[in-house]
Structure formats: structure tokens, C-alpha cells
């Protein structure tokens, strides 16, 4: 089951090979003004569905990202009750290949552990964007954001604490509807159980 | 150094009484794909000897993996050969599956083969572009390749969430099922790709400059290629029809119908042609796998695997035909959740070894072309 590739040894180009190549580039010069540009079917490619050559003027307009896109990890909280989905189960911290997720479990007055992350921090500067934390999370709390601009003014700002990590569920539902639809049911069911085990007022994001 | 490989130096230069000079190419040089240094000994412009110096990109990946559990090493395999991360995932998960005795559902196997062949398409398209870059066709062919690669990277991004660091395969399957819009787009890519290869060939294959720079340059005879342990398109260009897909018949390749293109003398031109023909064969494979994929049940992509894989003590070696050659992972388990030894058989590294033999007797400008024709990624060479 082998084929021997032909070497065109008998071919005497006399410049024809070059001309053929130039014809290809010339045809592209013409075609590039009429070609239709499509990216993801089912999603509007770019405003107006343009033809031919054009530039996506990046900060103002963006090419759409697929739902599954893996940016940096963020935490979610429920919109109506403002309660955090995270229960400090440490699954993500154990799954992280570089060990950049740091969690401090909350305790009540008598020192008993409660399903609530007192402190939660991710070192964004070292993140691999691998998504293993989001895969490991049984509560649908840690998900991958779609933000592309990750530059920070200083190194300290890359130490992302809980206040800056927390995003509402509605935000994630908007950027990744299909992924959220997969995890929604399980996440909401588990959140109900979590809220029951927490003392009142704990794990609620201030408005 | 054998007798017959003695360098032919033109008489006139010897008469002039010139001394050999040493020339460093790299480590930071636009034509070394990555960070790679070549120490050349020149007689006039003719290469007398070449010493490759490696290690500028060494990242201790094999040692790093020993400190992590099996699952956590998958993102690190992406970073071996960052051009084709999907084919890096594949042999690693195969090795762990062999070690732990994990079954893979048929749909997952189909998806893996689709991803492997798409990776081959993009790697070979990019290879041809960069080979022409090395010859001085500055960026035009590479732009054509990047345009096609972009479509394939869109597919990767859709399925896995990342364009290059895919981290897509898991033990006993793949991470996520294919999204709805994947199959129409894949069909489109597969339908359009042969036209792209035709266009590419029309532009390049009989181009006089390419013929002059490639023909009879950097010949690697089959016996020397086998002796050096070279694999992949470089070996097949040297007339040896050795393809791991045919030899090992891993995954679904046993039931797929495709040819193995081989060259006739093993020069740079043969290496170029073999890759172009492999692209056509990959399209054929994709067409067949898409039919098989349509027969499988959506969602059946993952077999039951414990959260933390703890394979029994023992060792396993799994290999696949990556676009660059035989990529293998050798794992030794001591029964714990972390591997005792994690070893990569990197095709780029092994294919780089006959570089001196290929270059000796050629001119300085040919070194760049010969080096480009091996198709190495330095991240995989140094690990």
C-alpha cells in the first residue's frame, strides 16, 4: 500500500513553473475582493456579513469566540440570591497542574467547617489555561472566562482574590450558553443543598 | 565519520591555501525554528563539519511530569510540539490506557483520528510554507498555509476550547463531545482542502527556484536513515515505507484505507513531495472517518475512569505516527497516582541527528534548507 511520489524529472520548466505560480497569486489578488468570509455557522460572522478583504477592528469589534473557549478561570454566584456556588471542596486546587489555586475553608463560631470559601485566590500569571479546574468542579462554580485582555499594570494584580474572581451566573450564561446548559441543572441542585448547610448570611456576595 | 562520506573540496580553493573558518548559526536566528545553534566548519562556502548544539529550550518536562499525577501531565504534552498538540495528547493517553487497561468508546476513537489527521494537514501545510521561507520565498507560501491552518484551528477551538494548547484527550476518551456546528465546518474543510493542495502544488511543485534549491540537496540514503533511527516523512522520503499507522494499526487505522507515499532518492524535494502527498491521504482518511463518526452515538465519548488514575505497577510504551514521525511515550508506574518515569521518544530530536551527514559537502545556504526539510520543533527536541 505505497505510492512512489513522481519527481517531475522529465519536466523542463523554462520559466513556465514561475509563471504558473504567479498566476495563482494573481488570481488571489482578484478573488480576495469577492470572497465571502464565514467563520462559525449559526453565528453571525461579522457585522453586516461582509465580502472580500476587510479588517476586524479589534477593540471595537471582535470575531466571535466558540462557547467552549478557555480563557482564565472565574468563580460564579447566583444572581437572585447572590450566593456563591463554591463550597471550598478543593477539587480544583487538587486538579490544577501548577498549583495556583489557593482556598481557605470557612469555619463557624465553634470552629466547625462550613461549605464556604473564606478566601479564594488564583495566580493568573502562572495559569496554563488548561481547564482542568473547570472539569473537576462538581458544583459548576469555577468556569473558564472568555476575556482576552489579561494584561495587568503590576504583578500584584495578577493575584486574583475572590472579590475580583466572582461573576454572576447571568454573565456566564450569556458568553457560553451551551456549556452553561450542560452544567446548570447539577449546579443549581447542589447550590440548594449548599445554602441549607451554610449559616444565614454566609457566602452571600454583597451588592 | 566513514571514508565514503569524505568531503569534496574543489581544487581551486585548496590551491588558495584557505583555512577552515568556524561559523555560528543561531541560537537566535530567523531560520532556526526555535532556539538552535549550529557550529559550522567551512572551507570557502562548503560545509566541512556541523555540530548541532541543543538545550536552549530545555524545560525539564520529563521531571516535571514525575511530580504530577497522570491527568495533570496532559497539558504539558501540548507544549512538547506546540504546532500539533492533538497528536501529542494521543500517544500519552494511549500509554496510560495501556498501563491501566482502560477501554475507549468507538466514538472517542473516531474523534481522536479526526483530530490527528487535521493536525497532520495543518502541520504539513505549515511545513511547506516554512520550507519555502527558508529558501527565500519570504512569507507568500506561508500565508497560504496559515489561511488553511486558521480554519483547522477554528475547529480545534470549537471542540477543545483552545487553538493550540488543546488539552483535549482524556484517559478513556476525549474531554468534550463535538459541538453541533463542528461537523458542517469539518465537512467544508475536508471538501476544500484538496483544492488548496492543488493550488499549492501549482504554485510551488514545478517552480524553478524550488527545483534548483531542493533537487539532490541533502540526500539521506535509506540505510543511513534506518541506522540513525529516523522516522516519519523524512524516512519515507528515503524510500523506506515505514508508517506506524500501518505497522501498529492503533486506534482505527487498521480499518481505514490509505496509501503511504514514499520518495525515490531522499533529497529535500522528496521530503517536500512526500508531505504534499500525505496531505491528500489525510483528506482521504478524514472522509472515511467522518462516515464512521456519523454511525456512532453522540455523547458516548468517555468510558468509566476513576477520577484519579492509579495504574498497577508496570510499564507501557505507546506510539503513534505524529506528523513529524514516531512519537512515543514510555511510562513506568509504581502503583501510585504519579508516574515513576515519564519518557518521550520525540521524533524531532531523532530526526535531527543525521543533520551533519546530510549537510556535509553542501553550501552554507543549503544548510538552512536541509534543516527546514527535517521539520523540527525545538520545543520537542529539548523538552
Amino acid at each position: 500500500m505505497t505510492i512512489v511520489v513522481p519527481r517531475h524529472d522529465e519536466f523542463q520548466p523554462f520559466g513556465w513553473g514561475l509563471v504558473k505560480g504567479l498566476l495563482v497569486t494573481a488570481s488571489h489578488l482578484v478573488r480576495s475582493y469577492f470572497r465571502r468570509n464565514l467563520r462559525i455557522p449559526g453565528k453571525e460572522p461579522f457585522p453586516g456579513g461582509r465580502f472580500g478583504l476587510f479588517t476586524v477592528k479589534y477593540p471595537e469589534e471582535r470575531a466571535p469566540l466558540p462557547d467552549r473557549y478557555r480563557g482564565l478561570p472565574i468563580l460564579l454566584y447566583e444572581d437572585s440570591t447572590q450566593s456563591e456556588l463554591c463550597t471550598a471542596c478543593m477539587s480544583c486546587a487538587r486538579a490544577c497542574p501548577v498549583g495556583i489555586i489557593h482556598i481557605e475553608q470557612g469555619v463557624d463560631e465553634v470552629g466547625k467547617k462550613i461549605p464556604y470559601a473564606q478566601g479564594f485566590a488564583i495566580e493568573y500569571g502562572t495559569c496554563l489555561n488548561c481547564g482542568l479546574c473547570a472539569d473537576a468542579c462538581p458544583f459548576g462554580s469555577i468556569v473558564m472566562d472568555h476575556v482576552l485582555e489579561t494584561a495587568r499594570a503590576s504583578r500584584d494584580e495578577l493575584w486574583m482574590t475572590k472579590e475580583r474572581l466572582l461573576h454572576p451566573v447571568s454573565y456566564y450564561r450569556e458568553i457560553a450558553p451551551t456549556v452553561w446548559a450542560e452544567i446548570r441543572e447539577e449546579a443549581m441542585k447542589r447550590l440548594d443543598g449548599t445554602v441549607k448547610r451554610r449559616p444565614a448570611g454566609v457566602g452571600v456576595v454583597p451588592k | 565519520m566513514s571514508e565514503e562520506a569524505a568531503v569534496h573540496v574543489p581544487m581551486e580553493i585548496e590551491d588558495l591555501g584557505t583555512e577552515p573558518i568556524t561559523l555560528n548559526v543561531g541560537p537566535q536566528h530567523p531560520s532556526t525554528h526555535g532556539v538552535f545553534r549550529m557550529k559550522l566548519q567551512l572551507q570557502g562556502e562548503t560545509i566541512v563539519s556541523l555540530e548541532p548544539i541543543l538545550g536552549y529550550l530545555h524545560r525539564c518536562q520529563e521531571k516535571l511530569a514525575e511530580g504530577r499525577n497522570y491527568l495533570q501531565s496532559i497539558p504539558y504534552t501540548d507544549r512538547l510540539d506546540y504546532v500539533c498538540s492533538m497528536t501529542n495528547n494521543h500517544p500519552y493517553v494511549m500509554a496510560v490506557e495501556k498501563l491501566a487497561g482502560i477501554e475507549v468508546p468507538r466514538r472517542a476513537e473516531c474523534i481522536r483520528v479526526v483530530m490527528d489527521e487535521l493536525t497532520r494537514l495543518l502541520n504539513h501545510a505549515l511545513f511547506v510554507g516554512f520550507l519555502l521561507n527558508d529558501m527565500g520565498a519570504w512569507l507568500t507560501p506561508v500565508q497560504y498555509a496559515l489561511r488553511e491552518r486558521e480554519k483547522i484551528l477554528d475547529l480545534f477551538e470549537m471542540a477543545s476550547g483552545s487553538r493550540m494548547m488543546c488539552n483535549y484527550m482524556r484517559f478513556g476518551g476525549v474531554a468534550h463531545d463535538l459541538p453541533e456546528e463542528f461537523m458542517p465546518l469539518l465537512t467544508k474543510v475536508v471538501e476544500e482542502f484538496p483544492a488548496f493542495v492543488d493550488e499549492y502544488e501549482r504554485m510551488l511543485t514545478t517552480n524553478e527556484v524550488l527545483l534548483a534549491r531542493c533537487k539532490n540537496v541533502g540526500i539521506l540514503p535509506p540505510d543511513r536513515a534506518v541506522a540513525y533511527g529516523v522516522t516519519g516523512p523524512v524516512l519515507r522520503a528515503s524510500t523506506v515505507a515505514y508508517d506506524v499507522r500501518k505497522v501498529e494499526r492503533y486506534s482505527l487505522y487498521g480499518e481505514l484505507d490509505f496509501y503511504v507515499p514514499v520518495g525515490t532518492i531522499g533529497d529535500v524535494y522528496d521530503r517536500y513531495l512526500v508531505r504534499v502527498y500525505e496531505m491528500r491521504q489525510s483528506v482521504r482518511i478524514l472522509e472515511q472517518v467522518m462516515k464512521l463518526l456519523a454511525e456512532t452515538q453522540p455523547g458516548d465519548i468517555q468510558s468509566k475512569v476513576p477520577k484519579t488514575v492509579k495504574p498497577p505497577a508496570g510499564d507501557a510504551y505507546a506510539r503513534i505516527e505524529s506528523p513529524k514521525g514516531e512519537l512515543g511515550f514510555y511510562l513506568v508506574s509504581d502503583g501510585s497516582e504519579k508516574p515513576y518515569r515519564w519518557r518521550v521518544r520525540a521524533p524531532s530530536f531523532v530526526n535531527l541527528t543525521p543533520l551533519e551527514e546530510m549537510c556535509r559537502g553542501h553550501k552554507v545556504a543549503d544548510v538552512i534548507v536541509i534543516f527546514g526539510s527535517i521539520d523540527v520543533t525545538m520545543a520537542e527536541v529539548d523538552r
Side-chain angles (χ1 to χ4, degrees):
Chain A
M1 291 289 275
T2 59
I3 40 171
V4 178
V5 293
R7 276 176 63 84
H8 309 283
D9 276 331
E10 70 299 334
F11 181 72
Q12 297 290 326
F14 297 119
W16 176 234
L18 278 173
V19 174
K20 269 205 299 186
L22 286 173
L23 284 176
V24 171
T25 47
S27 79
H28 271 281
L29 179 69
V30 180
R31 268 197 290 160
S32 61
Y33 286 96
F34 303 101
R35 198 177 52 232
R36 173 121 212 208
N37 284 282
L38 283 173
R39 205 155 176 274
I40 299 171
K43 283 194 176 182
E44 182 58 30
F46 299 109
R50 275 169 262 174
F51 286 85
L53 283 178
F54 66 89
T55 308
V56 181
K57 298 179 189 74
Y58 164 62
E60 286 84 27
E61 58 182 36
R62 286 144 195 265
L65 288 170
D67 286 2
R68 193 64 76 181
Y69 180 79
R70 296 199 310 260
L72 288 157
I74 51 167
L75 289 177
L76 293 183
Y77 66 86
E78 220 272 319
D79 282 83
S80 53
T81 57
Q82 301 270 40
S83 46
E84 297 163 13
L85 269 66
C86 179
T87 61
C89 72
M90 311 283 173
S91 287
C92 52
R94 270 196 297 270
C96 182
V98 273
I100 54 162
I101 303 178
H102 309 280
I103 309 169
E104 189 190 341
Q105 181 144 32
V107 286
D108 60 8
E109 305 85 54
V110 290
K112 197 168 141 276
K113 283 178 183 173
I114 48 173
Y116 158 66
Q118 183 102 45
F120 197 108
I122 302 180
E123 296 168 54
Y124 265 16
T126 328
C127 182
L128 288 177
N129 307 49
C130 67
L132 289 179
C133 51
D135 285 356
C137 184
F139 300 93
S141 165
I142 192 162
V143 291
M144 304 309 275
D145 201 358
H146 285 197
V147 170
L148 302 168
E149 296 86 358
T150 52
R152 299 288 193 279
S154 72
R155 199 177 209 180
D156 294 343
E157 286 173 50
L158 288 166
W159 176 269
M160 290 288 280
T161 49
K162 208 167 106 181
E163 300 81 60
R164 282 186 286 167
L165 286 170
L166 278 168
H167 285 69
V169 160
S170 57
Y171 166 79
Y172 190 65
R173 191 174 55 216
E174 201 167 298
I175 58 171
T178 55
V179 181
W180 176 244
E182 277 171 30
I183 56 174
R184 191 190 72 91
E185 203 180 326
E186 183 78 14
M188 289 298 119
K189 210 175 79 191
R190 289 196 179 219
L191 178 66
D192 288 342
T194 310
V195 171
K196 275 179 206 147
R197 286 189 289 140
R198 275 179 191 157
V202 170
V204 177
V205 182
K207 289 253 183 196
Chain B
M1 230 179 279
S2 58
E3 277 295 311
E4 62 272 344
V7 189
H8 170 70
V9 180
M11 270 315 276
E12 312 90 70
I13 294 173
E14 274 188 344
D15 294 342
L16 289 171
T18 53
E19 279 184 12
I21 60 157
T22 310
L23 180 75
N24 265 306
V25 181
Q28 306 284 352
H29 191 271
S31 66
T32 58
H33 306 214
V35 197
F36 175 60
R37 184 168 147 219
M38 287 182 274
K39 217 166 158 188
L40 307 174
Q41 286 285 342
L42 303 176
Q43 182 70 260
E45 268 209 44
T46 313
I47 313 288
V48 180
S49 76
L50 183 152
E51 191 189 336
I53 296 160
L54 310 169
Y56 293 98
L57 262 175
H58 185 63
R59 316 187 287 297
C60 277
Q61 284 208 332
E62 292 179 1
K63 189 69 196 168
L64 280 174
E66 286 170 22
R68 276 154 182 78
N69 69 31
Y70 286 92
L71 184 67
Q72 286 172 340
S73 292
I74 298 180
Y76 283 87
T77 62
D78 290 336
R79 285 144 178 91
L80 284 172
D81 175 359
Y82 44 79
V83 181
C84 13
S85 60
M86 285 284 192
T87 48
N88 293 349
N89 289 172
H90 197 171
Y92 175 59
V93 295
M94 268 169 69
V96 176
E97 279 156 10
K98 222 182 212 178
L99 208 53
I102 299 168
E103 292 285 314
V104 187
R106 192 170 165 80
R107 185 174 171 84
E109 290 280 23
C110 290
I111 295 173
R112 284 180 185 183
V113 173
V114 166
M115 295 305 175
D116 280 7
E117 293 308 317
L118 285 175
T119 310
R120 204 180 313 279
L121 288 180
L122 78 84
N123 181 73
H124 286 357
L126 218 56
F127 157 80
V128 176
F130 279 115
L131 180 68
L132 268 288
N133 234 5
D134 293 341
M135 283 178 212
W138 202 243
L139 284 178
T140 304
V142 122
Q143 288 298 333
Y144 284 77
L146 289 173
R147 188 192 69 206
E148 293 308 306
R149 173 174 178 261
E150 204 62 21
K151 294 174 188 165
I152 296 172
L153 289 187
D154 276 349
L155 290 173
F156 285 177
E157 192 181 29
M158 220 180 261
S160 71
S162 189
R163 285 154 51 85
M164 285 177 77
M165 301 300 139
C166 295
N167 184 21
Y168 185 54
M169 295 181 193
R170 295 284 186 277
F171 312 131
V174 292
H176 317 285
D177 202 358
L178 302 173
E180 256 174 57
E181 57 280 15
F182 186 89
M183 283 318 278
L185 217 60
L186 175 66
T187 318
K188 196 160 163 269
V189 167
V190 171
E191 277 170 6
E192 284 175 2
F193 211 88
F196 159 72
V197 181
D198 288 344
E199 184 186 53
Y200 224 35
E201 276 219 276
R202 209 160 52 241
M203 186 162 70
L204 302 171
T205 303
T206 53
N207 186 301
E208 282 85 344
V209 182
L210 187 129
L211 292 176
R213 293 297 302 276
C214 289
K215 276 199 171 174
N216 302 317
V217 170
I219 294 174
L220 185 65
D223 56 328
R224 298 306 296 156
V226 172
Y228 275 112
V230 166
T231 48
V234 183
L235 178 67
R236 289 194 286 276
S238 303
T239 71
V240 185
Y242 179 82
D243 190 320
V244 181
R245 289 176 291 176
K246 288 281 185 197
V247 177
E248 198 95 316
R249 294 173 165 269
Y250 62 91
S251 204
L252 292 176
Y253 285 107
E255 31 185 307
L256 298 173
D257 173 34
F258 63 98
Y259 293 99
V260 178
V262 291
T264 32
I265 60 169
D267 58 356
V268 175
Y269 194 53
D270 267 342
R271 278 171 225 145
Y272 160 79
L273 287 171
V274 162
R275 271 151 179 138
V276 170
Y277 273 73
E278 270 186 24
M279 282 198 260
R280 296 186 193 282
Q281 295 304 319
S282 286
V283 172
R284 269 187 70 193
I285 294 173
L286 278 170
E287 282 166 356
Q288 295 169 44
V289 180
M290 275 160 60
K291 283 201 195 92
L292 296 178
L293 195 58
E295 290 164 12
T296 54
Q297 187 70 34
D300 183 24
I301 50 152
Q302 181 77 49
S303 59
K304 268 234 162 315
V305 176
K307 242 183 184 166
T308 318
V309 182
K310 272 190 191 173
D315 61 345
Y317 178 72
R319 57 181 187 165
I320 68 156
E321 181 73 25
S322 95
K324 297 193 162 78
E326 177 190 326
L327 175 61
F329 276 83
Y330 178 65
L331 302 176
V332 182
S333 162
D334 54 1
S336 70
E337 60 181 27
K338 289 174 185 172
Y340 177 77
R341 180 83 173 93
W342 195 88
R343 155 102 184 118
V344 190
R345 191 251 182 232
S348 294
F349 175 62
V350 182
N351 291 0
L352 199 56
T353 46
L355 183 65
E356 187 187 9
E357 198 167 309
M358 286 195 261
C359 289
R360 219 180 291 134
H362 286 292
K363 298 276 188 278
V364 180
D366 293 331
V367 172
I368 305 299
V369 178
I370 295 166
F371 179 59
S373 77
I374 307 171
D375 190 17
V376 297
T377 305
M378 289 315 290
E380 192 181 41
V381 176
D382 294 336
R383 299 193 289 283

